[in-house]
Amino acid sequence: MTRTIAFRGDYDWGTQPGGFSNRPYSEVEIVGPNGSISAFCIVDSGADYMQLPKEILEDIGIDIPDDKTTVLDASLCNVIFEVFYDVEVVIEGKKTILDKVLSNPGVPPLLGRTAFLQVLDVGFDDDGWLHK
């Protein structure tokens, strides 16, 4: 079975001329103890984990317990990220718990491979990508 994915339109991406881009986005709802918030995340198949601005997580009451504080030097970029554990999200209408979400103040929201593969039944064979 072949499935075509079409984008309904461009979303504001302030760094582009004219402020718009046809980059692949997914609207993700992040759920916390103080409510939920939606974020448009760029789909980044080269990123291992979801990345969110720390402000979003703090606004909905998600915090790192003192005994689980972790920092990660991601992608050999010498950028240190805090790691939030067991974050509930809704991606493309499917609820899941992400074991890790990377965060820093002001970073752009990214939907990494481990996040979108949790909610999509995808694979590949010699002929290409498969989607159920």
Side-chain angles (χ1 to χ4, degrees), residues 73-94:
D73 185 354
S75 304
L76 303 173
C77 299
N78 297 318
V79 176
I80 304 299
F81 287 90
E82 289 185 282
V83 180
F84 288 73
Y85 297 91
D86 303 321
V87 176
E88 182 180 339
V89 296
V90 180
I91 303 169
E92 298 298 319
K94 296 181 182 177

Side-chain angles (χ1 to χ4, degrees), residues 7 9-11 13 15-16 20-26 42-43:
F7 298 100
D10 292 343
Y11 296 105
W13 189 260
T15 60
Q16 296 295 312
F20 293 92
S21 173
N22 199 19
R23 293 179 177 172
Y25 283 87
S26 179
I42 191 163
V43 177

Side-chain angles (χ1 to χ4, degrees), residues 35-46:
S36 65
I37 192 167
S38 290
F40 281 101
C41 299
I42 191 163
V43 177
D44 186 349
S45 61

Side-chain angles (χ1 to χ4, degrees), residues 16-17 28 45 54 63 72 76 83 86-87 98-99 101 108 120:
Q16 296 295 312
V28 177
S45 61
K54 189 172 182 181
D63 200 3
L72 174 69
L76 303 173
V83 180
D86 303 321
V87 176
L98 301 180
D99 62 338
V101 172
L120 299 176

Side-chain angles (χ1 to χ4, degrees), residues 3 5 91-92 94 115-123 131-132:
R3 181 175 178 191
I5 299 173
I91 303 169
E92 298 298 319
K94 296 181 182 177
F116 66 75
L117 288 178
Q118 280 187 223
V119 297
L120 299 176
D121 192 7
V122 296
H131 181 272
K132 289 185 183 177

